[in-house]
Amino acid sequence: MSLLRVVGREIFAAYRQGLVSNQNRTFLTSAYWLADQPASTEAGAEEDPAEDQEKGQIRDDPKDRTRIIPVETSIRYLTSEAYQQIYQGEPVWKQYRRNHKGTYAPKKTRKKCIRQGKLATGNPCPICRDEFLVLDHRNIDLIKQFISAQSGKVLSYQITGLCQKRHLELLVAVERAMDYGLITFDVPFRDYDYSEYYPAQKQ
């Protein structure tokens, strides 16, 4: 089954229900973006129908996360129209809301959203729900969204909603980016008048 037929079927199902959740919207828009990308098959290479059928089954399941997305693909995805349509110029975690029992949210987020290659929850964290968001020290535009503009520190998972596994990957990516000099944080310069605290130094 072709990817476009899968997307069309998902849109029709969402239309009949009268609503489209954030997770489905992310999957549908990302699938359209993937369909627009050039094929990676080399010229003259023969395609295996069994392999194509297996790939089709994987793409049919929006919860499948066994496919490895290269960081170069993720970087191009962040500059695509599909990404802008989903997030509207805001950080990927901005519109995310955690599901939890009771009035107050737990101090820690879940350990991980993906188990045995599939999403194990109906409300995955901002990174796990979109398979094209790859945390890597080279993906600067993505990891900068999780760094405070005031302090230069990584935002807490209580703010971003990242699962513990993705938050650890984020910390590693930020540290590597700083080691390579890809991310720098300049502290604003302030000129202090120390004579106020040391009157003896006044002239």
Side-chain angles (χ1 to χ4, degrees):
M1 182 181 295
S2 66
L3 181 59
L4 292 179
R5 289 187 60 186
V6 173
V7 174
R9 186 179 60 183
E10 293 289 339
I11 294 177
F12 179 72
Y15 173 77
R16 293 187 62 182
Q17 295 177 2
L19 52 89
V20 179
S21 63
N22 290 335
Q23 179 182 350
N24 290 335
R25 183 182 63 180
T26 302
F27 165 70
L28 292 176
T29 311
S30 302
Y32 272 124
W33 178 79
L34 178 64
D36 292 337
Q37 302 307 304
S40 58
T41 305
E42 297 180 359
E46 296 182 358
E47 297 181 356
D48 186 5
E51 183 178 356
D52 292 342
Q53 184 178 2
E54 181 181 356
K55 292 181 179 179
Q57 292 177 355
I58 293 177
R59 293 179 181 178
D60 284 354
D61 188 2
K63 292 188 176 182
D64 185 87
R65 290 296 182 271
T66 57
R67 180 175 52 181
I68 299 177
I69 305 297
V71 62
E72 293 80 9
T73 302
S74 179
I75 293 174
R76 288 190 289 110
Y77 171 61
L78 264 66
T79 60
S80 65
E81 295 182 0
Y83 174 83
Q84 297 299 329
Q85 181 181 354
I86 296 173
Y87 301 103
Q88 300 294 325
E90 294 183 347
V92 296
W93 53 267
K94 191 70 174 179
Q95 300 297 332
Y96 178 75
R97 295 295 180 269
R98 294 173 58 188
N99 289 343
H100 55 83
K101 297 181 180 179
T103 306
Y104 303 99
K107 292 184 178 180
K108 282 191 175 183
T109 55
R110 66 175 61 92
K111 292 183 179 180
K112 54 184 178 180
C113 304
I114 301 175
R115 298 181 185 275
Q116 297 181 355
K118 289 189 176 183
L119 292 176
T121 175
N123 187 35
C125 74
I127 295 297
C128 293
R129 66 179 176 180
D130 193 342
E131 61 178 335
F132 291 102
L133 298 179
V134 179
L135 291 172
D136 190 275
H137 67 276
R138 294 166 290 178
N139 202 351
I140 304 301
D141 292 337
L142 178 60
I143 62 178
K144 276 187 175 180
Q145 300 181 23
F146 297 90
I147 300 178
S148 173
Q150 288 74 28
S151 63
K153 297 181 179 180
V154 178
L155 296 174
S156 171
Y157 49 77
Q158 295 180 348
I159 299 176
T160 61
L162 292 182
C163 62
Q164 297 297 305
K165 181 179 179 180
R166 295 302 184 186
H167 185 73
L168 180 60
E169 293 178 0
L170 173 65
L171 296 177
V172 173
V174 171
E175 289 295 332
R176 286 183 177 178
M178 289 183 176
D179 291 341
Y180 283 103
L182 301 177
I183 293 180
T184 57
F185 182 77
D186 298 329
V187 178
F189 176 78
R190 295 184 62 182
D191 188 10
Y192 293 94
D193 185 9
Y194 293 99
S195 61
E196 179 180 354
Y197 304 98
Y198 302 95
Q201 296 181 3
K202 291 184 178 179
Q203 296 180 356

